[in-house]
Each structure stands twice: as C-alpha cells, then as structure tokens.
Amino acid sequence: RFDHRPTADSYCEALYPFCPTGDRDGRIPYMREDDVISVYRLQTPVWEFKYGDLLGKVQHIMHDAIGFSSSHTGANYTMEWYELFQLGNCTFPHLRQEAPAPFWCNQGAACFFEGIDDLHWSQNGTLEKIGEVTFNHMAQWVQDDNRTGIYYETWTVRSDPAPNSTVWFESYDCSQFVHRTYRKLKELGAKLSSRSPTYYTKIYLYSGEPTYLGNDSAIFGTPALQNLAADIRKFYFTFRPHQSFVDFAFTLLEAYKKIVLDKTFYLYYNFEYWHLPMKYPYMQIVYEEVPLP
C-alpha cells in the first residue's frame, strides 16, 4: 500500500487505452440509500477481443470483473481492475540505453463504467448474479483502494505446489481486486452465492527461500554490485517486447536455461529486487477454486 498514486511516466504508452469509456479513478456515482443493487460475477478469457475463447480453453487464463445493476434506475455498471499499460509491461520492464536500471510501466487501477456487455462476458465466460447490496458505503472504499494499491503484480511465488506451502509473494491483479471487493460487499451485508464453483486464474512461480537484493539505487548505483546489475539486465533482456519470431525462439531457449537449468528468477516487488532459487515445477498456470466469502 502507498499513500498516493504517482503520475505515470510519459514513456509508458498503452497500445489499448486504459478505461476509455469510464472513470479512470474508479469513482462510483451516488445511488439512493434504499436502492437495491444486484451484484454480478463477470469472467472472460484474457484478450478475448483478439483471440476469442482460445486462452480460456487452452490455459484457463481468465480476466475477472464485477457487475452491478440498480433496481431503482435499471442502469447497469461494470467495475474491473487491470493494467494501465497492458500485461507485458506489468510483468517485465523496458531496458533503456540512457538508464542503468530497468524501467517499469507496472501500474494497475480500477475502472468503473456504465453498462454490462452481456455478450462479452457470457459468450465465453461467466455472467452470474451472486447477490444484492445497498451500495454507497462502498464508493469511498473503491477510491481508497485505488489510490493506495497501485502496482500490478503478475506472479504468485510459492515454495511448492502443495496446498499449505509457503507463499513468498502474493500477486496483485484483477482477481485479487475482485476478492477484495467481495469481502467488502460481505462486510456491508451482502450475502453472496454462486450456482457453480468459483474458479480464478493464478500464475505461480515455485522457489526456495528468496534472497533480498536491494532497490534500484542500491543495485544499479553501486559499483561493487555491477555484476549483479548486469545479470539482472541480461535476465530481463530475454523477455523484451517486440521481438521477431527468430529472436523469440532463441528467447525461449535462454529463458529455459536461466529458469530451469540455472534455477534463477529475478522478481521485482514493491520497488525491490529479489532472487528466486527456482524449484520444480518452476511455473504453473492454475485455475483454482476460491469460494465466495
């Protein structure tokens, strides 16, 4: 958590604009105190607009959101939390010649807009009413959450796949926002239930105990750590954007060597770098059940 949201650097530019038709600060319009608001669980495959349901069918890589409907006005609303500058920029940094430290475009935020695209959510995913609530006390909570929880984090890091294994780092993504919102709705008196199990996508890295390395200035501003700085840059160079098909093939081999053979992953978390001593099965995309609160 942070005390404010910083202005995004102009270097970060989204291919698809963030929240183009809604409120980029997650602000919710006032609703009557006696208005009963229906709550909807929304889920659809990631990048459905580009690949249809492919990522949902093949890997269960899903995007999650929440829908609301006013019984007083009949108006529908969608609220979701996602990356300001697309997923790749949140997961890996840019390497710039003029700056020694990797440069991150990894902010995420809530977007609130009028309407629910029924076809978008229901055709390849989920659109299900799960409860009702009176609403206005949640409006300030969304803005507070949006102002203080500002950085997207793709990875959840665990010691191994066992159910009770140690969680070293938690992700901070669209599904985590949905879970936080559900908990707040329950606190406000909503009774949430689903006709079917509620599953969410998690991307896991498996690691032994992480080693703290330092922040940007400590690593990239200290001559004694120049070898570590170079190794971190080399690691992230493997995952650079806009590669050709040939470069991408070599990239996969390099990533395999670094993560599986060398058992190394550099994680950037809350402005700090950590070394992860990777363990089998190294990485998994898991579609796991998280019950409603």
mmCIF file of all heavy atoms in Angstrom, residues 183-208:
data_model
loop_
_atom_site.group_PDB
_atom_site.id
_atom_site.type_symbol
_atom_site.label_atom_id
_atom_site.label_comp_id
_atom_site.label_asym_id
_atom_site.label_seq_id
_atom_site.Cartn_x
_atom_site.Cartn_y
_atom_site.Cartn_z
ATOM 1 N N ARG A 183 -15.138 -9.270 -0.350
ATOM 2 C CA ARG A 183 -15.033 -9.218 1.110
ATOM 3 C C ARG A 183 -15.671 -7.934 1.656
ATOM 4 O O ARG A 183 -16.309 -7.943 2.711
ATOM 5 C CB ARG A 183 -13.565 -9.331 1.545
ATOM 6 C CG ARG A 183 -12.972 -10.710 1.313
ATOM 7 C CD ARG A 183 -11.645 -10.881 2.031
ATOM 8 N NE ARG A 183 -10.591 -10.036 1.507
ATOM 9 C CZ ARG A 183 -9.771 -10.392 0.531
ATOM 10 N NH1 ARG A 183 -9.891 -11.580 -0.056
ATOM 11 N NH2 ARG A 183 -8.805 -9.570 0.122
ATOM 12 N N LYS A 184 -15.469 -6.819 0.933
ATOM 13 C CA LYS A 184 -16.078 -5.553 1.354
ATOM 14 C C LYS A 184 -17.599 -5.623 1.241
ATOM 15 O O LYS A 184 -18.325 -5.145 2.131
ATOM 16 C CB LYS A 184 -15.526 -4.400 0.511
ATOM 17 C CG LYS A 184 -16.035 -3.026 0.935
ATOM 18 C CD LYS A 184 -15.592 -2.684 2.357
ATOM 19 C CE LYS A 184 -16.069 -1.320 2.794
ATOM 20 N NZ LYS A 184 -15.637 -0.991 4.171
ATOM 21 N N LEU A 185 -18.095 -6.218 0.161
ATOM 22 C CA LEU A 185 -19.541 -6.350 -0.010
ATOM 23 C C LEU A 185 -20.138 -7.188 1.119
ATOM 24 O O LEU A 185 -21.216 -6.871 1.643
ATOM 25 C CB LEU A 185 -19.840 -6.987 -1.367
ATOM 26 C CG LEU A 185 -19.586 -6.110 -2.595
ATOM 27 C CD1 LEU A 185 -19.685 -6.924 -3.871
ATOM 28 C CD2 LEU A 185 -20.568 -4.938 -2.638
ATOM 29 N N LYS A 186 -19.441 -8.258 1.504
ATOM 30 C CA LYS A 186 -19.926 -9.074 2.624
ATOM 31 C C LYS A 186 -19.943 -8.256 3.909
ATOM 32 O O LYS A 186 -20.886 -8.340 4.704
ATOM 33 C CB LYS A 186 -19.049 -10.314 2.791
ATOM 34 C CG LYS A 186 -19.538 -11.224 3.902
ATOM 35 C CD LYS A 186 -18.653 -12.430 4.093
ATOM 36 C CE LYS A 186 -19.164 -13.318 5.222
ATOM 37 N NZ LYS A 186 -18.284 -14.483 5.467
ATOM 38 N N GLU A 187 -18.893 -7.445 4.109
ATOM 39 C CA GLU A 187 -18.833 -6.583 5.286
ATOM 40 C C GLU A 187 -20.018 -5.622 5.316
ATOM 41 O O GLU A 187 -20.512 -5.251 6.388
ATOM 42 C CB GLU A 187 -17.516 -5.799 5.263
ATOM 43 C CG GLU A 187 -17.269 -4.904 6.438
ATOM 44 C CD GLU A 187 -15.988 -4.093 6.252
ATOM 45 O OE1 GLU A 187 -14.958 -4.705 5.885
ATOM 46 O OE2 GLU A 187 -16.020 -2.857 6.463
ATOM 47 N N LEU A 188 -20.484 -5.217 4.122
ATOM 48 C CA LEU A 188 -21.610 -4.290 4.025
ATOM 49 C C LEU A 188 -22.957 -4.999 4.084
ATOM 50 O O LEU A 188 -24.001 -4.361 3.934
ATOM 51 C CB LEU A 188 -21.506 -3.484 2.723
ATOM 52 C CG LEU A 188 -20.315 -2.536 2.615
ATOM 53 C CD1 LEU A 188 -20.253 -1.899 1.242
ATOM 54 C CD2 LEU A 188 -20.391 -1.459 3.698
ATOM 55 N N GLY A 189 -22.927 -6.313 4.268
ATOM 56 C CA GLY A 189 -24.180 -7.033 4.465
ATOM 57 C C GLY A 189 -24.633 -7.883 3.308
ATOM 58 O O GLY A 189 -25.693 -8.525 3.386
ATOM 59 N N ALA A 190 -23.889 -7.931 2.221
ATOM 60 C CA ALA A 190 -24.299 -8.743 1.075
ATOM 61 C C ALA A 190 -24.122 -10.226 1.389
ATOM 62 O O ALA A 190 -23.143 -10.627 2.018
ATOM 63 C CB ALA A 190 -23.467 -8.375 -0.156
ATOM 64 N N LYS A 191 -25.077 -11.026 0.938
ATOM 65 C CA LYS A 191 -24.958 -12.477 1.009
ATOM 66 C C LYS A 191 -24.681 -12.962 -0.408
ATOM 67 O O LYS A 191 -25.541 -12.853 -1.283
ATOM 68 C CB LYS A 191 -26.228 -13.091 1.584
ATOM 69 C CG LYS A 191 -26.456 -12.753 3.052
ATOM 70 C CD LYS A 191 -27.746 -13.386 3.576
ATOM 71 C CE LYS A 191 -27.881 -13.198 5.080
ATOM 72 N NZ LYS A 191 -27.893 -11.788 5.483
ATOM 73 N N LEU A 192 -23.461 -13.465 -0.615
ATOM 74 C CA LEU A 192 -23.015 -13.839 -1.954
ATOM 75 C C LEU A 192 -23.047 -15.351 -2.109
ATOM 76 O O LEU A 192 -22.577 -16.085 -1.240
ATOM 77 C CB LEU A 192 -21.599 -13.315 -2.210
ATOM 78 C CG LEU A 192 -21.377 -11.812 -2.004
ATOM 79 C CD1 LEU A 192 -19.907 -11.467 -2.211
ATOM 80 C CD2 LEU A 192 -22.258 -10.999 -2.943
ATOM 81 N N SER A 193 -23.582 -15.812 -3.222
ATOM 82 C CA SER A 193 -23.599 -17.249 -3.504
ATOM 83 C C SER A 193 -23.600 -17.470 -5.005
ATOM 84 O O SER A 193 -24.084 -16.633 -5.773
ATOM 85 C CB SER A 193 -24.832 -17.910 -2.878
ATOM 86 O OG SER A 193 -26.025 -17.404 -3.453
ATOM 87 N N SER A 194 -23.039 -18.607 -5.420
ATOM 88 C CA SER A 194 -22.949 -18.952 -6.830
ATOM 89 C C SER A 194 -23.518 -20.346 -7.041
ATOM 90 O O SER A 194 -23.412 -21.219 -6.170
ATOM 91 C CB SER A 194 -21.486 -18.903 -7.300
ATOM 92 O OG SER A 194 -21.369 -19.382 -8.632
ATOM 93 N N ARG A 195 -24.115 -20.568 -8.203
ATOM 94 C CA ARG A 195 -24.670 -21.884 -8.530
ATOM 95 C C ARG A 195 -23.579 -22.899 -8.858
ATOM 96 O O ARG A 195 -23.831 -24.089 -8.909
ATOM 97 C CB ARG A 195 -25.624 -21.771 -9.721
ATOM 98 C CG ARG A 195 -26.858 -20.918 -9.463
ATOM 99 C CD ARG A 195 -27.827 -20.996 -10.624
ATOM 100 N NE ARG A 195 -27.222 -20.541 -11.861
ATOM 101 C CZ ARG A 195 -27.202 -19.281 -12.274
ATOM 102 N NH1 ARG A 195 -27.759 -18.340 -11.517
ATOM 103 N NH2 ARG A 195 -26.644 -18.939 -13.416
ATOM 104 N N SER A 196 -22.368 -22.419 -9.125
ATOM 105 C CA SER A 196 -21.272 -23.309 -9.503
ATOM 106 C C SER A 196 -19.996 -22.879 -8.786
ATOM 107 O O SER A 196 -19.912 -21.751 -8.273
ATOM 108 C CB SER A 196 -21.053 -23.269 -11.021
ATOM 109 O OG SER A 196 -20.783 -21.953 -11.451
ATOM 110 N N PRO A 197 -18.990 -23.759 -8.697
ATOM 111 C CA PRO A 197 -17.722 -23.383 -8.054
ATOM 112 C C PRO A 197 -17.105 -22.156 -8.727
ATOM 113 O O PRO A 197 -17.217 -21.976 -9.946
ATOM 114 C CB PRO A 197 -16.849 -24.628 -8.247
ATOM 115 C CG PRO A 197 -17.811 -25.750 -8.440
ATOM 116 C CD PRO A 197 -18.986 -25.157 -9.165
ATOM 117 N N THR A 198 -16.488 -21.295 -7.921
ATOM 118 C CA THR A 198 -15.894 -20.056 -8.432
ATOM 119 C C THR A 198 -14.383 -20.247 -8.577
ATOM 120 O O THR A 198 -13.672 -20.356 -7.579
ATOM 121 C CB THR A 198 -16.215 -18.881 -7.490
ATOM 122 O OG1 THR A 198 -15.878 -19.244 -6.153
ATOM 123 C CG2 THR A 198 -17.689 -18.545 -7.545
ATOM 124 N N TYR A 199 -13.932 -20.297 -9.822
ATOM 125 C CA TYR A 199 -12.523 -20.527 -10.129
ATOM 126 C C TYR A 199 -11.870 -19.245 -10.635
ATOM 127 O O TYR A 199 -12.518 -18.424 -11.302
ATOM 128 C CB TYR A 199 -12.388 -21.613 -11.202
ATOM 129 C CG TYR A 199 -12.653 -23.007 -10.701
ATOM 130 C CD1 TYR A 199 -13.942 -23.531 -10.707
ATOM 131 C CD2 TYR A 199 -11.622 -23.806 -10.207
ATOM 132 C CE1 TYR A 199 -14.197 -24.806 -10.239
ATOM 133 C CE2 TYR A 199 -11.863 -25.083 -9.746
ATOM 134 C CZ TYR A 199 -13.151 -25.580 -9.762
ATOM 135 O OH TYR A 199 -13.392 -26.852 -9.293
ATOM 136 N N TYR A 200 -10.573 -19.113 -10.331
ATOM 137 C CA TYR A 200 -9.812 -17.941 -10.752
ATOM 138 C C TYR A 200 -8.417 -18.378 -11.206
ATOM 139 O O TYR A 200 -7.877 -19.374 -10.731
ATOM 140 C CB TYR A 200 -9.710 -16.928 -9.602
ATOM 141 C CG TYR A 200 -11.063 -16.448 -9.147
ATOM 142 C CD1 TYR A 200 -11.746 -17.115 -8.131
ATOM 143 C CD2 TYR A 200 -11.690 -15.370 -9.760
ATOM 144 C CE1 TYR A 200 -13.010 -16.702 -7.725
ATOM 145 C CE2 TYR A 200 -12.946 -14.954 -9.363
ATOM 146 C CZ TYR A 200 -13.605 -15.622 -8.346
ATOM 147 O OH TYR A 200 -14.857 -15.213 -7.971
ATOM 148 N N THR A 201 -7.835 -17.598 -12.107
ATOM 149 C CA THR A 201 -6.523 -17.915 -12.661
ATOM 150 C C THR A 201 -5.422 -17.401 -11.752
ATOM 151 O O THR A 201 -5.451 -16.258 -11.304
ATOM 152 C CB THR A 201 -6.360 -17.283 -14.054
ATOM 153 O OG1 THR A 201 -7.410 -17.750 -14.903
ATOM 154 C CG2 THR A 201 -5.013 -17.652 -14.665
ATOM 155 N N LYS A 202 -4.432 -18.267 -11.499
ATOM 156 C CA LYS A 202 -3.222 -17.883 -10.770
ATOM 157 C C LYS A 202 -2.016 -18.321 -11.596
ATOM 158 O O LYS A 202 -2.002 -19.424 -12.151
ATOM 159 C CB LYS A 202 -3.153 -18.574 -9.411
ATOM 160 C CG LYS A 202 -4.033 -17.961 -8.345
ATOM 161 C CD LYS A 202 -3.306 -16.834 -7.634
ATOM 162 C CE LYS A 202 -4.014 -16.473 -6.339
ATOM 163 N NZ LYS A 202 -3.277 -15.461 -5.591
ATOM 164 N N ILE A 203 -1.005 -17.463 -11.664
ATOM 165 C CA ILE A 203 0.254 -17.830 -12.315
ATOM 166 C C ILE A 203 1.301 -17.957 -11.220
ATOM 167 O O ILE A 203 1.679 -16.970 -10.583
ATOM 168 C CB ILE A 203 0.675 -16.783 -13.360
ATOM 169 C CG1 ILE A 203 -0.446 -16.593 -14.390
ATOM 170 C CG2 ILE A 203 1.965 -17.222 -14.062
ATOM 171 C CD1 ILE A 203 -0.133 -15.570 -15.456
ATOM 172 N N TYR A 204 1.737 -19.188 -10.978
ATOM 173 C CA TYR A 204 2.643 -19.488 -9.877
ATOM 174 C C TYR A 204 4.080 -19.647 -10.350
ATOM 175 O O TYR A 204 4.343 -20.272 -11.384
ATOM 176 C CB TYR A 204 2.237 -20.791 -9.177
ATOM 177 C CG TYR A 204 1.010 -20.682 -8.305
ATOM 178 C CD1 TYR A 204 -0.161 -21.362 -8.630
ATOM 179 C CD2 TYR A 204 1.033 -19.912 -7.151
ATOM 180 C CE1 TYR A 204 -1.284 -21.276 -7.820
ATOM 181 C CE2 TYR A 204 -0.094 -19.817 -6.338
ATOM 182 C CZ TYR A 204 -1.245 -20.496 -6.672
ATOM 183 O OH TYR A 204 -2.348 -20.402 -5.872
ATOM 184 N N LEU A 205 4.998 -19.090 -9.572
ATOM 185 C CA LEU A 205 6.410 -19.440 -9.635
ATOM 186 C C LEU A 205 6.731 -20.237 -8.375
ATOM 187 O O LEU A 205 6.213 -19.924 -7.295
ATOM 188 C CB LEU A 205 7.291 -18.192 -9.685
ATOM 189 C CG LEU A 205 7.138 -17.264 -10.884
ATOM 190 C CD1 LEU A 205 8.033 -16.042 -10.717
ATOM 191 C CD2 LEU A 205 7.451 -17.975 -12.193
ATOM 192 N N TYR A 206 7.590 -21.254 -8.503
ATOM 193 C CA TYR A 206 7.954 -22.080 -7.358
ATOM 194 C C TYR A 206 9.425 -21.873 -7.035
ATOM 195 O O TYR A 206 10.288 -22.017 -7.895
ATOM 196 C CB TYR A 206 7.651 -23.547 -7.638
ATOM 197 C CG TYR A 206 6.172 -23.780 -7.871
ATOM 198 C CD1 TYR A 206 5.676 -24.039 -9.137
ATOM 199 C CD2 TYR A 206 5.272 -23.706 -6.811
ATOM 200 C CE1 TYR A 206 4.323 -24.230 -9.353
ATOM 201 C CE2 TYR A 206 3.912 -23.891 -7.011
ATOM 202 C CZ TYR A 206 3.444 -24.159 -8.290
ATOM 203 O OH TYR A 206 2.103 -24.344 -8.477
ATOM 204 N N SER A 207 9.687 -21.539 -5.770
ATOM 205 C CA SER A 207 11.022 -21.096 -5.400
ATOM 206 C C SER A 207 11.350 -21.511 -3.970
ATOM 207 O O SER A 207 10.461 -21.596 -3.104
ATOM 208 C CB SER A 207 11.089 -19.562 -5.523
ATOM 209 O OG SER A 207 12.199 -19.031 -4.850
ATOM 210 N N GLY A 208 12.637 -21.751 -3.722
ATOM 211 C CA GLY A 208 13.117 -21.837 -2.355
ATOM 212 C C GLY A 208 13.068 -20.457 -1.723
ATOM 213 O O GLY A 208 12.550 -19.502 -2.317
#
